Amino acid sequence: MVSQQDDAPEAGYDPMRQFAELAGDVRDPYPMFAGIRADTPVLHVELGAGSGVRYRHDENAPRISSLFTVTSYELAQQVLTDNARFSSAGYEMTMGQVMGRTILQMDAPEHQRHRALVAKAFRTRVLDQWSDAIIGATVGELIDGFAGDGHADLIPQLTFPFPVRVIARILGLPEADWPRFLRLSTQLIAVMRNWEGALAASRELRGYFAEIIADRRRHTRDDLVSQLISAEVDGHRLSDEEIYPFLLLLLPAGAETTYRSSSNLLFGLLSNPDQLEAVRADRSLVPQAIEEALRWETPLLTVARSATEDVELGGVRIPAGSFVAISLGAANRDPGQHAEPDAFDIFRERTQHISFGDGAHKCLGMHLARLEMRVLLNAVLDRLPGLRLDPGADDPHIHGLIFRSPPNLPVRFD
Ligand code: HEM
């Protein structure tokens, strides 16, 4: 088993700084999205032959010369549920370069086959087992670290470490390895910022996972890696080469999104104290608070597809092969779907959102994400009485254009 070394590079490593940089310093992209949506539901930007952006950071990578961005809820749904005309294969040029072949980049029928195998490990029966033993225990330990202080910054002290630790536990990784796992996870996730660092982290994680998988093949345990090894659909099982990419995908897909969505939920409630008090008094409101937070500030703003044939969408012609960005953030704030979309309102009639995507690739971890947010919010309400934003906090806010969440959340409690 691989364990942390004394001279490990995680000493002095500050993952929070890397994440703050990654989110970008855009405070409020929503007026821009609203302007585009009012103008056209599908924005076409021609970048010009030879001058377009690259999918990946090498000289030979193809350039994208034409971009289509979908901003309406209805059309976003239409694209995401039409996997025949809008393929996910383009992820091979981005995420695929650091993770290997994941289900994210597969199209039918390969996608269905593969997803059925990994989905077995995310059934609600399995999740129920994790609820107290893993998720509750993780939140409890983190809150223990500051509950006696009367104040905290909920991002570095709670929401940031929370989901990576949950994943480390779900995978059954020894506690001594967590700091190293956290560093490698953060470097992998920061792929848009530091390509070489992400590739190096991916190689190291692969070596690390190889030992874990070999260990579980020898001694089956009650963890996700053992479940992936034994999952079987129509006589097919996952090979090690198929398990690595899935484990690597869990980090950006499962850790970063959940840290940001939990942070946005706490931010939404703390900046609307009447709604925070309503949820504190009536916990049956927790699920709708979670859905509204996901709608209001989706942690991941955009997903991508490419057109497999010439398509007409919202009156705009999209040539075969074009890159199509689906703005989940813009779709969630579409006034055609939600009245007063910019308001955080847990009492709105419909909180239906598209933050987990839609169609065949709809988030595999959405039940886990909701469970994590629920356990976290209930623990915060139970253990931090009188929770409020620190009146001396220096301008708490949500920011980001690729991912969104608050960089800090200083609070006080009694
Ligand atoms: C609030 C938290 C989360 C959000 C907002 C989120 C969002 C998304 C979105 C939008 C997609 C679709 C991507 C696309 O269609 O291109 C997706 C897919 C996926 N998510 Fe999540 N996710 C969250 C949490 C999680 C968690 C906790 C896990 C697992 C530990 C997870 C695992 C996955 C996987 C494996 C896929 C790929 C599914 C496929 O391609 O079939 N996600 N997620």
Side-chain angles (χ1 to χ4, degrees), residues 80 88 91 102-106 111 115 118 122 130 163 167 170 224 246 249-262 294 298-300 302-305 328 353-370 372-373:
L80 292 176
S88 294
Y91 283 126
T102 70
I103 54 171
L104 200 60
Q105 73 191 57
M106 293 176 189
H111 176 256
R115 180 162 164 139
V118 290
F122 285 87
W130 295 341
I167 290 186
I170 286 173
L224 181 67
F246 184 70
L249 175 64
L250 284 186
L251 296 166
E256 168 151 35
T257 47
T258 311
Y259 127 61
R260 295 193 190 275
S261 64
S262 307
L294 284 165
T298 180
L300 170 65
T302 311
V303 294
R305 296 290 185 269
L328 305 177
H353 57 77
I354 198 160
S355 300
F356 290 122
D358 208 341
H361 288 272
K362 189 165 186 177
C363 180
L364 181 65
M366 65 182 175
H367 303 304
L368 174 60
R370 286 180 168 128
E372 288 183 88
M373 290 170 78

Side-chain angles (χ1 to χ4, degrees), residues 120-180:
K120 288 198 150 197
F122 285 87
R123 284 168 305 192
T124 28
R125 192 174 55 78
V126 180
L127 294 190
D128 285 346
Q129 286 170 13
W130 295 341
S131 179
D132 293 338
I134 291 187
I135 304 171
T138 304
V139 179
E141 283 163 17
L142 290 167
I143 296 183
D144 286 347
F146 60 81
D149 299 346
H151 64 90
D153 183 340
L154 293 181
I155 308 300
Q157 291 180 271
L158 180 61
T159 57
F160 184 76
F162 169 54
V164 181
R165 280 200 197 185
V166 168
I167 290 186
R169 279 185 148 130
I170 286 173
L171 294 175
L173 309 185
E175 203 166 331
D177 292 353
W178 290 1
R180 179 177 176 215

Side-chain angles (χ1 to χ4, degrees), residues 36-216:
I36 297 171
R37 198 190 314 95
D39 208 30
T40 170
V42 181
L43 176 71
H44 178 198
V45 178
E46 201 56 61
L47 300 168
S51 64
V53 291
R54 283 210 167 87
Y55 271 119
R56 64 174 200 260
H57 298 221
D58 81 49
E59 286 302 308
N60 303 319
R63 288 174 183 276
I64 305 169
S65 56
S66 193
L67 277 176
F68 291 84
T69 304
V70 180
T71 55
S72 89
Y73 191 93
E74 194 190 332
L75 294 183
Q77 243 180 350
Q78 205 171 306
V79 172
L80 292 176
T81 51
D82 184 350
N83 298 113
R85 294 195 302 166
F86 296 99
S87 159
S88 294
Y91 283 126
E92 194 262 320
M93 308 300 281
T94 52
M95 314 276 276
Q97 297 294 307
V98 278
M99 279 165 216
R101 190 161 180 78
T102 70
I103 54 171
L104 200 60
Q105 73 191 57
M106 293 176 189
D107 287 323
E110 182 191 16
H111 176 256
Q112 281 124 307
R113 234 184 7 245
H114 211 97
R115 180 162 164 139
L117 275 164
V118 290
K120 288 198 150 197
F122 285 87
R123 284 168 305 192
T124 28
R125 192 174 55 78
V126 180
L127 294 190
D128 285 346
Q129 286 170 13
W130 295 341
S131 179
D132 293 338
I134 291 187
I135 304 171
T138 304
V139 179
E141 283 163 17
L142 290 167
I143 296 183
D144 286 347
F146 60 81
D149 299 346
H151 64 90
D153 183 340
L154 293 181
I155 308 300
Q157 291 180 271
L158 180 61
T159 57
F160 184 76
F162 169 54
V164 181
R165 280 200 197 185
V166 168
I167 290 186
R169 279 185 148 130
I170 286 173
L171 294 175
L173 309 185
E175 203 166 331
D177 292 353
W178 290 1
R180 179 177 176 215
F181 182 68
L182 173 66
R183 172 181 61 82
L184 292 173
S185 312
T186 314
Q187 282 175 359
L188 182 79
I189 295 167
V191 52
M192 312 276 283
R193 188 116 206 142
N194 181 349
W195 187 261
E196 294 303 327
L199 278 176
S202 163
R203 279 191 296 270
E204 200 177 330
L205 275 166
R206 233 178 126 89
Y208 177 72
F209 286 143
E211 292 185 37
I212 303 275
I213 293 172
D215 178 74
R216 301 304 187 274

